[in-house]
Amino acid sequence: MAVLSNFADQPHNARRVQELGLGRHLDDPDPRALADTCQDILHDRTMTARLRAARLAVLGLPDITHAPADLTDITTSRHRHATLTGTP
């Protein structure tokens, strides 16, 4: 991934992508710099392997449609625990 951040949390996310070895954070919006970065990424076998591993990890996650029920279970469990222990 070539990540060109613009505002808000994007610079943080772009740095994190680079820290994880899943892409490169671009500071320069110049088209030539973007093209060069993309070429570098396409030829980086280590990054390709990391991206494939990340893809497989994401594919192994539960379907997003389970999120509301999971969040309800988490909050209900925390509320029950707080009620039983008297802690917030």
Side-chain angles (χ1 to χ4, degrees):
M1 278 185 276
V3 185
L4 180 60
S5 56
N6 293 311
F7 63 92
D9 62 346
Q10 291 177 354
H12 169 77
N13 294 339
R15 284 190 302 275
R16 189 66 179 134
V17 165
Q18 185 161 316
E19 288 170 5
L20 294 171
L22 299 173
R24 301 256 175 84
H25 177 202
L26 286 157
D27 294 321
D28 186 358
D30 175 67
R32 184 75 249 157
L34 176 60
D36 290 345
T37 299
C38 288
Q39 283 298 321
D40 290 346
I41 290 169
L42 289 170
H43 293 98
D44 186 332
R45 291 176 188 244
T46 302
M47 189 177 300
T48 299
R50 278 192 205 105
L51 286 165
R52 285 185 177 144
R55 178 181 177 271
L56 290 174
V58 168
L59 289 172
L61 294 172
D63 188 283
I64 191 69
T65 59
H66 297 282
D70 291 344
L71 290 170
T72 299
D73 291 346
I74 291 168
T75 56
T76 302
S77 174
R78 286 186 180 166
H79 177 72
R80 190 176 316 118
H81 175 73
T83 301
L84 293 173
T85 63
T87 59

